[in-house]
Amino acid sequence: GRKTRMNFSKKSLPACSPCRTLTKTEHCMKTRRIGIIMNGVTGRMGTNQHLVRSILAIRQQGGVVCGDERIMPDPILTGRNADKLQQLAAKHGVEKYTTDLDAVLADPYYEIFFDASGTPHRIPFLERAIAAGKHIYCEKPTAVQASEAYRIAEVAEKAGVKNGTVQDKLWLPGIRKFQLLKEQGFFGEILSVRGEFGYWVFTGENLEQPAQRPSWNYRNEDGGGMIVDMHCHWRYVIDNLFGNVTRVFCKAATHIPQRRNESGDMFPCTADDSAYALFETDTGVVCQFNSSWAVRVRRDDLLTMQVDGTKGSAIVGLRKCWVQHQSVTPRPVWNPDIDSPLNFYDNWTEVPDQGVYDNAFKIQWEMFLKHVVAGEPFRWTLREGAKGVQLAELSWDSHHKGAWVDVPQ
């Protein structure tokens, strides 16, 4: 394929334009530049969340303060399509890009390899980067199969490279507000969780209503599907907030049989677009998550979790969180013959912001950079990411068997 000339100069880093005024101490800090290979970031998520709102935002703010130095990420974009790379680099002022991944893997300046390519292609990329001694950070799912996800985690561990998996939802403002109240004992004993995720993704059959998600999401052969996408998220959300998942019961469905692709052609959907699941945990909390791209939204957000405890409840959204304490819980009486005298949206209080909440992806990127440079703790590893792939695989096992399936610890 055509290769694009790249500039490997370590001195080509442009001056940053901090979004805040640096303190006198920060001005005197030495800068620790760290080269990052950003592979496969021409897609929507890779571009918006990882390149623009994380790495470029970190550069704009003047880097990440770590001890007595500032970490300054220096990205190079890699991929198969030189034209897409050139357009992306030009649009966002990124100086370096190339289709020659082997060349940048061989350059010791680039210490971190980040991958946001398609899931079916991820393992070979990670293997090459680990063999080159790069620290690894990647999107989820980390693999198509759980055995491969655990194997690549072991390969990275044996090679001694630092590694991490994106688990962004843990740093969303709504979840952080919930976690603060949970740590303060607001809910008492948590009993159950009911999660609702999704929205109506247009099929594209009506040209005036184009699809708002890429078509590969609905093709199993391209790594698409609701379970492999979202159950990786639900694993780390449940494990970190409510207890380790021990059993799963799941029903998958492909409600929409055909859609229109980016070329304007209709294609058969071979991946699940919806999943309905129950998860048991080692703490006794029962979690139910409905996930669908064929549902119309009448709730507070595209993702909501209702968490019920003995002393209080919460509705947790992406950015907001509402709570109801036992002291203001209404006392309904069942009577379907009259309109309800109670408005059940009353007596819920929105949890106020505790400060300015940064982008969730950016927060985890900053933590990973500190982990690589200074050895600060970072527990969201490839092995943790493999647990999500495992849960997705076991969810499919449950679907096919029509039965509960144990989740090994």
Side-chain angles (χ1 to χ4, degrees):
R2 177 163 64 92
K3 295 181 172 63
T4 303
R5 183 178 67 85
M6 52 187 174
N7 178 5
F8 282 108
S9 171
K10 289 24 167 215
K11 299 180 180 180
S12 63
L13 190 70
C16 297
S17 301
C19 58
R20 61 179 176 83
T21 302
L22 295 176
T23 67
K24 182 176 180 180
T25 300
E26 289 173 336
H27 271 298
C28 297
M29 286 180 174
K30 67 176 182 178
T31 298
R32 164 74 153 84
R33 290 182 171 86
I34 185 165
I36 301 176
I37 303 167
M38 303 195 74
N39 188 56
V41 297
T42 54
R44 178 177 57 91
M45 185 70 70
T47 294
N48 294 334
Q49 296 292 6
H50 293 290
L51 177 62
V52 176
R53 299 172 192 169
S54 294
I55 296 303
L56 296 185
I58 290 171
R59 287 165 59 84
Q60 185 180 30
Q61 76 182 15
V64 179
V65 175
C66 182
D68 60 355
E69 61 184 0
R70 287 183 294 133
I71 304 169
M72 184 64 69
D74 184 11
I76 182 169
L77 311 183
T78 61
R80 295 172 296 174
N81 190 313
D83 291 334
K84 287 185 177 180
L85 290 170
Q86 189 276 330
Q87 292 168 13
L88 180 62
K91 181 177 180 180
H92 296 289
V94 178
E95 293 191 346
K96 297 175 290 185
Y97 63 92
T98 184
T99 58
D100 190 351
L101 179 58
D102 288 332
V104 285
L105 287 176
D107 189 337
Y109 175 69
Y110 295 98
E111 300 177 51
I112 295 174
F113 176 83
F114 171 73
D115 186 69
S117 65
T119 306
H121 312 294
R122 180 155 296 137
I123 291 296
F125 282 129
L126 298 187
E127 288 177 325
R128 290 164 66 186
I130 293 169
K134 307 302 181 186
H135 302 299
I136 302 296
Y137 191 46
C138 74
E139 260 292 350
K140 46 71 42 200
T142 54
V144 175
Q145 297 176 326
S147 59
E148 281 292 277
Y150 279 110
R151 184 186 67 80
I152 199 65
E154 185 174 354
V155 170
E157 290 162 1
K158 288 184 176 179
V161 299
K162 295 181 171 68
N163 59 89
T165 306
V166 176
Q167 298 194 340
D168 57 287
K169 288 180 174 43
L170 297 176
W171 291 276
L172 287 170
I175 289 181
R176 291 170 65 187
K177 292 172 184 177
F178 162 79
Q179 181 68 6
L180 176 62
L181 291 174
K182 175 174 174 280
E183 291 171 355
Q184 294 173 345
F186 177 88
F187 303 99
E189 178 189 355
I190 293 179
L191 307 172
S192 63
V193 179
R194 189 171 73 249
E196 294 285 343
F197 165 80
Y199 46 94
W200 188 266
V201 177
F202 288 95
T203 65
E205 292 176 287
N206 186 327
L207 296 180
E208 294 183 357
Q209 293 179 312
Q212 69 270 43
R213 285 180 65 85
S215 62
W216 68 263
N217 286 281
Y218 308 97
R219 293 190 295 270
N220 183 64
E221 60 272 24
D222 291 331
M226 178 61 80
I227 288 178
V228 73
D229 184 1
M230 297 310 300
H231 281 209
C232 291
H233 284 299
W234 304 153
R235 178 66 189 266
Y236 69 75
V237 168
I238 295 172
D239 280 2
N240 281 274
L241 298 182
F242 307 113
N244 296 315
V245 178
T246 57
R247 293 211 303 165
V248 58
F249 184 91
C250 182
K251 170 65 178 177
T254 304
H255 291 308
I256 308 297
Q258 63 177 8
R259 295 177 180 269
R260 191 182 299 278
N261 65 22
E262 289 77 6
S263 300
D265 301 320
M266 299 302 296
F267 70 94
C269 299
T270 55
D272 54 309
D273 59 25
S274 302
Y276 310 95
L278 283 167
F279 306 103
E280 290 186 348
T281 68
D282 60 359
T283 60
V285 178
V286 179
C287 302
Q288 172 188 333
F289 276 79
N290 295 328
S291 313
S292 179
W293 288 313
V295 63
R296 292 178 176 88
V297 178
R298 192 177 189 271
R299 54 182 184 268
D300 293 295
D301 211 332
L302 298 183
L303 166 65
T304 59
M305 295 187 297
Q306 175 157 341
V307 182
D308 289 305
T310 54
K311 293 184 178 181
S313 298
I315 301 295
V316 185
L318 298 174
R319 300 192 61 83
K320 295 181 181 297
C321 180
W322 296 265
V323 293
Q324 184 178 95
H325 191 260
Q326 64 176 349
S327 62
V328 294
T329 300
R331 189 188 302 272
V333 176
W334 175 260
N335 187 350
D337 298 320
I338 63 172
D339 290 339
S340 175
L342 299 173
N343 181 346
F344 292 104
Y345 286 94
D346 290 343
N347 301 316
W348 288 86
T349 303
E350 183 178 347
V351 180
D353 290 348
Q354 300 298 312
V356 177
Y357 296 98
D358 212 341
N359 179 278
F361 290 84
K362 178 171 173 278
I363 291 171
Q364 195 178 7
W365 260 108
E366 291 180 342
M367 296 174 72
F368 186 70
L369 290 173
K370 292 179 181 180
H371 176 57
V372 170
V373 171
E376 293 194 6
F378 190 91
R379 58 188 177 84
W380 306 278
T381 60
L382 286 175
R383 186 166 293 277
E384 287 298 305
K387 292 180 181 179
V389 183
Q390 177 197 52
L391 183 60
E393 201 169 88
L394 294 174
S395 296
W396 271 113
D397 191 20
S398 171
H399 166 80
H400 291 307
K401 292 178 177 177
W404 284 94
V405 172
D406 291 336
V407 178
Q409 299 302 300

